[in-house]
Amino acid sequence: MVNPARKVNIVKKRTKSFVRVQSDRFKRVGASWRCPRGIDSRTRRRFKGTRPHPKIGYGSNKNTRFLLPDGFRKFTVHNVKDLESLVMLNRTYAAEIAQNIGAKKRVELVERAKQLSIKVVNPDARVRAVEN
């Protein structure tokens, strides 16, 4: 098993999602964030006591952005050539097999990754437990 080059504590400034204005009042208004645009909107004018807006200050630390909880970054892999490009970076990046790759090619990629000691994020996807 490959370990990350360095394990850093990931600190999220906010984990709750931002909720759309009046999504709690009407069923037809979904909860996913939309920027308020009304001319009299209290939320758009950022009055005290209204919902928080997403803004740049909520961004993650540059060092830990896109890090997985185990300390790796993801790199999408479509073929063996992509996988072999990670050889020098196998302690920084983990391979994620693309979703449109079939089961036969997946097995090849997982075996090759094991030979190159590259971590695969989704090795079990689409692969049956018992093969005939």
Side-chain angles (χ1 to χ4, degrees):
M1 195 70 206
V2 185
N3 291 325
R6 59 191 176 96
K7 187 82 166 78
V8 186
N9 261 6
I10 300 171
V11 178
K12 303 280 187 194
K13 291 183 189 167
R14 182 185 168 94
T15 53
K16 286 197 291 185
S17 58
F18 292 96
V19 185
R20 187 176 178 181
V21 186
Q22 293 192 336
S23 63
D24 53 339
R25 301 182 83 205
F26 303 105
K27 217 170 191 176
R28 65 180 178 264
V29 179
S32 66
W33 176 256
R34 299 287 189 279
C35 192
R37 293 202 175 84
I39 55 170
D40 295 329
S41 172
R42 297 170 51 190
T43 313
R44 181 187 60 78
R45 289 153 68 190
R46 300 210 169 110
F47 282 13
K48 201 189 304 182
T50 55
R51 296 166 189 251
H53 277 219
K55 46 190 166 193
I56 201 71
Y58 289 112
S60 297
N61 184 347
K62 196 186 276 185
N63 300 330
T64 60
R65 197 176 301 150
F66 308 120
L67 266 190
L68 300 173
D70 59 3
F72 287 99
R73 293 186 189 309
K74 266 198 286 195
F75 180 80
T76 308
V77 167
H78 293 87
N79 51 40
V80 178
K81 188 179 176 190
D82 289 347
L83 196 63
E84 287 168 354
S85 68
L86 292 179
V87 172
M88 296 300 286
L89 299 168
N90 68 339
R91 301 205 42 221
T92 311
Y93 287 92
E96 180 187 42
I97 300 173
Q99 79 46 212
N100 57 349
I101 304 296
K104 203 189 306 180
K105 201 170 176 189
R106 260 172 208 273
V107 173
E108 290 173 24
L109 286 170
V110 170
E111 285 173 15
R112 185 67 180 138
K114 197 172 275 186
Q115 291 168 5
L116 299 171
S117 71
I118 294 171
K119 181 180 169 135
V120 179
V121 177
N122 55 349
D124 304 327
R126 276 200 212 187
V127 180
R128 296 247 168 81
V130 180
E131 292 183 10
N132 297 340

